[in-house]
Amino acid sequence: MVKTVSILGSTGSIGTQTLDVLRNLKKQNIEVKVVALAAGRNVELIEAQAREFMPGLVSVESPDAAKILKEKLAPLGIEVAYGEQGLMDVATSDCEILVTAIVGMKGLLPTLAAIEKGTDIALANKETMVVAGEIVTEAANAKGVKILPVDSEHSAILQCLTGYNHGEVQHLILTASGGPFRTWEADKIKDVSIKDVLAHPTWKMGGKITVDCAGMMNKGLEIIEARWLFDMPYEKIKVLVHPQSIVHSMVQYIDGAVIAQMGVPDMKVPIQWALSYPERVNSDFGRHDFTKTPLTFEEPDEVKFPCLRLAREAAITGGTMTAVMNGANEIAVEKFLKGEIKFMDIPYIVEKAMNAHTVKYNPTVEDVIEADRMARRTV
């Protein structure tokens, strides 16, 4: 059980739920000290978090926000930082585990900095593994750092693998809710509104992740993440649509046995397991009643949801292609949420960026960052 934690993205969905987990641990007479917090623009919320958890350091996105926050927190002796350097300061703070809950490519360098310091990672920033999975896993192995997934699917896979020989795995099976358009005809999805896209049927998440889920790009990113987290070839990673979101993922072994991890769709469960790994701690997060919900599964439709196909293609191509795919997607999703493009323009834009890219294999961190920049400029 960890005793000290820092959080990148403390005011977002995963960040706020991580603090809920810490409150639950306190109820179990387990105290975990918050060392540092990083957030974006929500000064009011991070101020409240800082007053409750009393970290030594907080960081926000802009110098203006930092100035406001510094005035409010000065009497408490809490240091205030901002910008990219602030993220790095939080990432390299003196803690046992860093929760990486910021969304997007900007999580890469802070995560690598934490690994270099020898800090374990509770990983909710899947893009880090998508754009530089090989680099990150090599760095973690060299430092003896644990990367503990917080995504419900990858947490489930880790739980299903624990105690078993990875060489006996036939398939990792990632489950997907199918999003709000699972039962829609393809031609009707072309004109959906932002409100339609953000109406996820089972999970409550931030805007970018919810858009990714609606187009199944999120599942494509998770395939790439799973490849690096579990050192598993792509041909052994499958996706099944499971609308009820009760089976969070499964592992099928070579003898035909399937081990599944199940529970209510609540991110606090995998967050707490990452913080208490390999132990389990009591919680009041909720329990599923198996007498009330039938569990169903179906194959994903990669024609209706081309983002899943594009992510697979980027994964198989390898090198800097995954960084290009991810960077193009981030900008396209941002433009959709601003109302500048339609929902189904996202896969079109991502594919155009991928087709325009000349892949560099065995990339360095600098190569990955440059590929990401080029993709964003292309979009």
Side-chain angles (χ1 to χ4, degrees):
M1 183 72 226
V2 300
K3 294 182 175 62
T4 56
V5 61
S6 294
I7 305 171
L8 298 178
S10 67
T11 57
S13 176
I14 296 297
T16 55
Q17 290 180 85
T18 299
L19 295 176
D20 284 341
V21 166
L22 298 186
R23 295 182 185 104
N24 177 71
L25 293 175
K26 188 174 182 179
K27 292 179 186 177
Q28 316 305 322
N29 296 314
I30 300 171
E31 289 285 352
V32 178
K33 170 65 178 172
V34 176
V35 175
L37 298 172
R41 303 182 183 92
N42 195 335
V43 173
E44 184 177 341
L45 180 52
I46 196 169
E47 180 195 353
Q49 293 173 344
R51 290 183 180 277
E52 179 181 359
F53 291 94
M54 291 299 294
L57 169 68
V58 297
S59 178
V60 285
E61 189 171 86
S62 70
D64 291 340
K67 182 178 179 181
I68 295 169
L69 194 60
K70 189 175 292 187
E71 292 175 358
K72 293 176 179 292
L73 298 181
L76 302 178
I78 298 173
E79 183 183 351
V80 177
Y82 66 89
E84 292 182 6
Q85 185 57 52
L87 285 178
M88 297 294 281
D89 291 344
V90 171
T92 55
S93 58
D94 191 14
C95 63
E96 293 171 277
I97 193 164
L98 175 72
V99 179
T100 60
I102 54 176
V103 176
M105 173 73 176
K106 63 184 177 181
L108 174 60
L109 292 181
T111 301
L112 285 171
I115 291 171
E116 179 63 26
K117 187 177 173 65
T119 304
D120 289 338
I121 306 296
L123 184 72
N125 172 251
K126 61 175 59 67
E127 291 87 353
T128 290
M129 301 303 287
V130 169
V131 302
E134 185 172 11
I135 295 169
V136 172
T137 52
E138 285 182 358
N141 291 337
K143 287 289 182 177
V145 164
K146 293 192 290 292
I147 299 180
L148 300 166
V150 167
D151 276 348
S152 63
E153 296 84 357
H154 301 90
S155 176
I157 294 293
L158 179 59
Q159 293 178 62
C160 294
L161 287 171
T162 299
Y164 293 92
N165 184 341
H166 290 205
E168 296 172 350
V169 171
Q170 187 169 31
H171 289 112
L172 306 183
I173 304 172
L174 300 169
T175 57
S177 71
F181 309 127
R182 179 179 64 87
T183 60
W184 288 37
E185 295 295 331
D187 60 344
K188 292 184 178 180
I189 300 176
K190 292 185 294 184
D191 298 314
V192 295
S193 68
I194 296 173
K195 183 179 178 181
D196 291 331
V197 173
L198 295 180
H200 196 281
T202 53
W203 292 94
K204 293 182 179 179
M205 303 167 292
K208 194 268 182 184
I209 298 175
T210 306
V211 175
D212 282 347
C213 286
M216 292 199 74
M217 174 60 87
N218 205 45
K219 211 51 49 180
L221 301 181
E222 289 172 9
I223 290 171
I224 302 169
E225 184 180 5
R227 184 264 177 274
W228 296 112
L229 282 174
F230 307 115
D231 191 22
M232 199 66 58
Y234 288 116
E235 59 268 21
K236 288 191 174 185
I237 304 172
K238 298 176 63 176
V239 171
L240 278 181
V241 173
H242 170 53
Q244 297 81 25
S245 298
I246 299 303
V247 177
H248 298 302
S249 278
M250 302 176 274
V251 176
Q252 184 175 51
Y253 288 91
I254 55 176
D255 60 355
V258 177
I259 310 296
Q261 190 271 328
M262 297 180 278
V264 295
D266 186 342
M267 287 302 300
K268 292 190 288 292
V269 176
I271 292 168
Q272 180 163 294
W273 194 63
L275 296 182
S276 66
Y277 178 87
E279 304 170 29
R280 293 188 185 271
V281 178
N282 188 37
S283 80
D284 56 4
F285 299 151
R287 306 292 187 265
H288 177 65
D289 184 346
F290 285 91
T291 66
K292 292 184 178 179
T293 307
L295 306 181
T296 61
F297 302 89
E298 57 197 59
E299 292 286 344
D301 187 340
E302 294 192 15
V303 175
K304 189 163 68 172
F305 299 108
C307 282
L308 182 56
R309 171 184 59 81
L310 292 172
R312 284 188 184 277
E313 290 177 2
I316 292 168
T317 300
T320 50
M321 186 60 84
T322 54
V324 167
M325 180 271 297
N326 180 76
N329 180 65
E330 284 190 26
I331 298 299
V333 169
E334 182 180 302
K335 287 183 172 294
F336 169 73
L337 288 171
K338 290 178 179 176
E340 297 176 8
I341 63 172
K342 292 185 176 182
F343 179 62
M344 290 308 294
D345 289 334
I346 295 173
Y348 172 80
I349 288 170
V350 171
E351 188 162 26
K352 292 283 279 187
M354 289 171 60
N355 289 341
H357 180 60
T358 300
V359 180
K360 181 173 284 190
Y361 294 97
N362 301 312
T364 63
V365 173
E366 291 74 21
D367 293 332
V368 167
I369 292 172
E370 180 57 26
D372 172 77
R373 287 175 180 158
M374 289 177 64
R376 291 167 190 268
R377 284 199 298 266
T378 298
V379 174

